Amino acid sequence: EKGGYDHFMLKEIYEQPSAITDTYRGRMLVDEGIIRMAGVDDNIERIAKAKRILIVACGTSWHAGLVAEYIFEDLARIPVEVEYASEFRYRNPVIYENDVVIAISQSGETADTMAAIKLAKEKGAFVFGVCNVVGSSISRETHAGAYTHAGPEIGVASTKAFTTQITVLTLMALKLAKYRGTISDSDFRHHLQQLEAIPAKIAKVLETTNEHIKEIAFKYKDVSNCLYLGRGYNFPVALEGALKLKEISYIHAEGYPAAEMKHGPIALIDEQMPVVVIATKMGHYDKVVSNIQEIKSRKGKIIGIVTEGDTEVKELADYVIEVPDTIESLTPLLTTIPMQLLSYHIAVMLDKNVDQPRNLAKSVTVE
Ligand code: M6R
C-alpha cells in the first residue's frame, strides 16, 4: 500500500509530479490557451466581479491560501484576505453579499472551516470549495468548487495536498485574470507553459536533492530550534516548512518573512541556530541575500534554497539546495519540496512516527 516507500509521507512527496499533472489535466489546454474549470465557468460573473475574495482554511491549507493571496492579487487584481477559519467564525466578521469566500480543505471535514462556510453563506456570500476528498462535507456545503485530485493523502503531514491546492488556485487566478483582462494573452500562455513544466521540475528536485538533504538532516537533527525565512511568494512556504518540521520531528520551528527578522527573531540567532532561507533568483533576491549576510555575521547556520546555478548564496551558506528556474508565482511548487524532504528525513532519523505524529489527527473534526 505504501508502494515500496517506508512511509506514506514519503510516497506522497514523491507522488507530487503525477498529482499536479492530475490536478491540471483536462483543465489546462496549453496549446489552445484555455483553462476550463466547471465550478468557475458556471459562476464566472459572480466570481470575477467579486469586490473581494476571503480565503478561509486551517493549517497547511491556510498556507496554500496565503500563496493564493499573492497569485490572485498579482494576476487577477482582486483584493484578497486570508483568515484562519477558527478566528473568522468567532469574530463577527464583515462579509458582503458580493464577497467570494474560498474555503480550502484537503479532507473537506475540518470543523472550523465548515463553520466559517456556514457563516459566510448566512451572510449571503458565494462560497467556493477547494477540497481533495470527493464528496466530503465541505465539498457538499459550498456553492461550487474545484477538486485538487491529489489522490488519497494518508500521512498526517500534508504534502501533495498543499502543492495541488496551489495548482488549483493558480489555475483559478489565471482564469479570472484572463476574464478580467488583467493579464496579457502572451503572459497567460507563458504561465500555462511554465505550469505544465512544473511536474518534471519537481521530479528533478526529488531526484537530485534527496541524498544531499539526508546529509543536511543528519547534521541538524539534534537542534532544538530552527528558523525558516522567505519573502513574497515564498513567505508562506517558509511558514509551511516550519510547520512540517514541528509536526513530525517535534523540533521547534518558526517561519518568518525574511525582512521581519530585524524586528525580533534576529535576537535568536547564534551558532546553534539553523536558518532555512528560500533565496530563489526571483522576487527580491538581493534583499534576501542581505538577510543571509545578517544571519552569517551572527554566526547562524544557513541552509539556502536557491535557483540552479546560484553562486552568491552558495558562498555565504553552509548548505545550498538547488531547484530549477521557473516564473516567480510558481516557485512555491518547487521550493516546498526540499522542505518536505528535510523534515521527513529528520523525523525518520529521530525515530518519530512520521505518518501519525503524536497528538495529531488527519482531519480535525472537532473545534
Ligand atoms: O483537511 P484540511 O486541509 O482542512 O486540514 C487542515 C489542517 O488540519 C491540516 O492542514 C494540518 O495542518 C496538517 N496536518 C498539516 O500538515
Side-chain angles (χ1 to χ4, degrees):
E1 46 172 10
K2 290 183 198 143
Y5 291 96
D6 290 344
H7 300 93
F8 283 109
M9 183 184 176
L10 191 62
K11 171 173 179 265
E12 289 157 8
I13 290 172
Y14 273 80
E15 277 172 352
Q16 288 174 109
S18 63
I20 290 174
T21 309
D22 289 344
T23 303
Y24 66 58
R25 178 178 296 128
R27 287 174 168 157
M28 182 170 82
L29 310 176
V30 180
D31 295 336
E32 290 92 326
I34 294 174
I35 294 172
R36 281 201 300 236
M37 298 172 86
V40 181
D41 287 313
D42 295 347
N43 302 285
I44 190 76
E45 278 291 305
R46 182 76 169 90
I47 302 172
K49 299 258 162 74
K51 279 258 156 46
R52 179 172 80 139
I53 292 176
L54 297 171
I55 298 181
V56 293
C58 304
T60 291
S61 297
W62 182 77
H63 296 152
L66 288 178
V67 175
E69 174 178 23
Y70 285 79
I71 306 176
F72 275 95
E73 294 205 344
D74 196 9
L75 301 180
R77 310 302 298 151
I78 305 173
V80 177
E81 282 168 39
V82 190
E83 305 255 7
Y84 282 118
S86 55
E87 286 298 312
F88 179 83
R89 63 179 289 202
Y90 284 120
R91 205 191 56 226
N92 191 17
V94 178
I95 306 170
Y96 301 109
E97 284 184 2
N98 53 11
D99 282 339
V100 167
V101 172
I102 301 179
I104 309 172
S105 175
Q106 187 286 129
S107 62
E109 302 297 341
T110 300
D112 282 319
T113 309
M114 182 56 120
I117 293 167
K118 289 190 172 150
L119 178 66
K121 280 174 75 180
E122 268 167 41
K123 307 260 187 179
F126 180 82
V127 186
F128 189 93
V130 175
C131 295
N132 190 41
V133 177
V134 176
S136 55
S137 306
I138 290 176
S139 66
R140 285 182 279 119
E141 188 70 30
T142 41
H143 295 115
Y147 285 115
T148 42
H149 297 307
E153 191 183 65
I154 310 291
V156 164
S158 189
T159 52
K160 63 177 179 172
F162 179 64
T163 46
T164 55
Q165 285 163 346
I166 294 175
T167 304
V168 162
L169 292 158
T170 301
L171 290 173
M172 193 172 169
L174 282 165
K175 195 167 171 55
L176 293 176
K178 191 166 190 204
Y179 188 83
R180 289 166 55 86
T182 53
I183 192 168
S184 69
D185 279 352
S186 62
D187 209 13
F188 182 81
R189 277 176 186 267
H190 186 57
H191 274 78
L192 300 194
Q193 286 156 358
Q194 290 289 318
L195 183 54
E196 194 182 33
I198 287 291
K201 290 180 184 178
I202 294 179
K204 186 174 179 195
V205 174
L206 291 167
E207 208 182 291
T208 57
T209 67
N210 189 47
E211 287 307 313
H212 182 45
I213 292 173
K214 272 190 205 165
E215 281 169 39
I216 304 172
F218 187 74
K219 172 91 182 169
Y220 295 111
K221 66 182 174 29
D222 298 315
V223 299
S224 35
N225 295 288
C226 187
L227 271 182
Y228 285 76
L229 304 178
R231 290 181 87 117
Y233 280 97
N234 283 296
F235 155 53
V237 179
L239 298 182
E240 173 61 8
L243 177 61
K244 287 288 87 90
L245 189 67
K246 289 186 255 222
E247 193 175 24
I248 60 169
S249 73
Y250 318 145
I251 293 173
H252 172 241
E254 294 294 334
Y256 271 99
E260 275 294 305
M261 270 248 302
K262 57 175 110 29
H263 300 285
I266 198 161
L268 291 166
I269 308 277
D270 62 14
E271 57 282 356
Q272 313 295 332
M273 178 69 96
V275 188
V276 180
V277 190
I278 306 166
T280 44
K281 270 284 180 216
M282 303 274 190
H284 326 289
Y285 176 74
D286 294 341
K287 297 209 161 115
V288 177
V289 171
S290 55
N291 294 137
I292 291 175
Q293 272 152 348
E294 287 159 14
I295 302 164
K296 179 129 184 117
S297 62
R298 287 159 184 86
K299 302 199 169 58
K301 301 286 175 277
I302 297 151
I303 303 156
I305 298 182
V306 301
T307 307
E308 264 168 17
D310 180 282
T311 51
E312 235 175 300
V313 175
K314 210 170 268 173
E315 268 181 27
L316 298 165
D318 295 86
Y319 293 93
V320 293
I321 304 166
E322 293 193 342
V323 299
D325 203 3
T326 184
I327 51 174
E328 188 180 358
S329 63
L330 299 179
T331 51
L333 294 172
L334 301 180
T335 53
T336 300
I337 310 297
M339 305 213 175
Q340 296 171 343
L341 289 171
L342 182 64
S343 55
Y344 172 78
H345 289 304
I346 290 179
V348 169
M349 286 170 191
L350 296 176
D351 209 17
K352 304 297 183 208
N353 188 342
V354 172
D355 284 333
Q356 283 185 298
R358 67 184 182 201
N359 310 336
L360 288 169
K362 183 63 183 161
S363 63
V364 184
T365 52
V366 291
E367 60 170 291

